[in-house]
Amino acid sequence: MGKQPLLTVGFVGASGSVRHHLAGCVHSGLVGRAVLVDADDEARASLRRRYGLIKADHAQLEPLLADPEVSLVDICGEVAGRFAAARRALGAGKHVVLASPPTSSVAELDELARVAEEAGVPPGVLNLIQGS
């Protein structure tokens, strides 16, 4: 059996839980490339210096969504912006991971489930608990 190809993951947001998510990707050995989106140039540059797997970064979401290698988008930005970013990523056919709390309301989560179904992206729930 051949070796499984490494994933390319897009990250939205350069603050909060993104450092934990990036560290997990590095330690998993399953992610070979990451693309980062954040409006803050210095925050993107800082994360690129720290995590060598970040091979591209952008101030806007569109280039990440247009990247055919990105199959998973991990949204760690401010809660208020997660719904819109997730909706666009799902609409582009990408799998989505949302940091906690995922959105501002249950209605937004219901809408994301509907968009995922329409896009043919299988729904799922992932809850990671960091232990000591």
Side-chain angles (χ1 to χ4, degrees), residues 6-124:
L6 297 177
L7 295 171
T8 297
V9 177
F11 289 89
V12 178
S15 62
S17 61
V18 72
R19 293 181 192 279
H20 297 292
H21 292 216
L22 279 162
C25 287
V26 169
H27 293 296
S28 76
L30 299 173
V31 178
R33 178 176 172 257
V35 178
L36 177 64
V37 173
D38 194 279
D40 184 329
D41 294 339
E42 181 50 40
R44 290 194 323 270
S46 174
L47 286 174
R48 274 193 90 152
R49 286 190 298 271
R50 184 169 179 176
Y51 298 97
L53 63 92
I54 299 174
K55 305 300 185 192
D57 66 83
H58 310 285
Q60 301 293 322
L61 186 58
E62 291 78 18
L64 182 148
L65 297 179
D67 188 332
E69 292 182 22
V70 173
S71 58
L72 174 69
V73 178
D74 189 335
I75 301 172
C76 301
E78 296 295 324
V79 175
R82 290 180 187 169
F83 170 73
R87 192 174 200 289
R88 290 173 61 198
L90 289 166
K94 309 290 186 184
H95 297 275
V96 171
V97 170
L98 290 159
S100 181
T103 63
S104 299
S105 71
V106 173
E108 288 179 344
L109 284 174
D110 288 341
E111 173 67 8
L112 291 179
R114 186 190 64 73
V115 171
E117 184 175 4
E118 287 178 2
V121 177

